[in-house]
Amino acid sequence: MKKIEAIIRPEKINEVKQALDDIGIHGMNFIQVTGRGAQRGVVHQGRGGETVTVDLLPKVKVEVVVTDIAVERAIDAIIAAARTGNIGDGKIFVTNIEEAIRVRTGERGEVAV
């Protein structure tokens, strides 16, 4: 099993949720976060010519746990739904999950996902 964490633009949350639903991945968490990537924020021109740098931008972290065979489909779905082609589209991280347990039934492993 793998945990996929994707940091995406907030306006892409519905598209990503639908894309994951469409491929049969229904369990997911969305967390409001702030951060910055390689671009180190954005610079805005204020009134009167003043420059304002915003270096912490709002993002959404999507977390899903999937079986090993579903990892590439999930990644492809997230990329297709979240990509705008502009800097700040986000990142995807994949980590191993040692165990999953469904609290209600006590089921373990992939059946708990």
Side-chain angles (χ1 to χ4, degrees):
M1 293 175 291
K2 305 285 188 211
K3 179 179 183 180
I4 300 171
E5 294 177 292
I7 309 297
I8 63 168
R9 295 173 181 271
E11 64 269 18
K12 291 298 198 170
I13 190 169
N14 287 328
E15 289 96 330
V16 169
K17 182 177 66 139
Q18 187 61 54
L20 291 170
D21 267 344
D22 289 347
I23 62 168
I25 297 172
H26 307 295
M28 57 193 86
N29 294 309
F30 295 91
I31 304 157
Q32 302 284 335
V33 297
T34 56
R36 67 182 208 175
Q39 81 273 16
R40 296 178 294 181
V42 294
V43 177
H44 296 286
Q45 282 290 15
R47 291 188 175 166
E50 64 192 56
T51 302
V52 178
T53 301
V54 179
D55 67 345
L56 295 176
L57 301 172
K59 299 289 182 177
V60 173
K61 180 164 74 167
V62 182
E63 297 179 339
V64 295
V65 176
V66 298
T67 62
D68 289 337
I69 61 172
V71 172
E72 288 304 318
R73 283 185 306 135
I75 290 170
D76 291 344
I78 293 168
I79 290 171
R83 178 181 283 159
T84 68
N86 298 314
I87 292 174
D89 277 351
K91 296 270 193 293
I92 298 174
F93 305 99
V94 181
T95 55
N96 289 319
I97 295 294
E98 206 168 300
E99 181 69 277
I101 303 154
R102 186 184 317 267
V103 173
R104 179 177 51 87
T105 63
E107 294 170 300
R108 292 176 173 260
E110 290 185 1
V111 296
V113 176

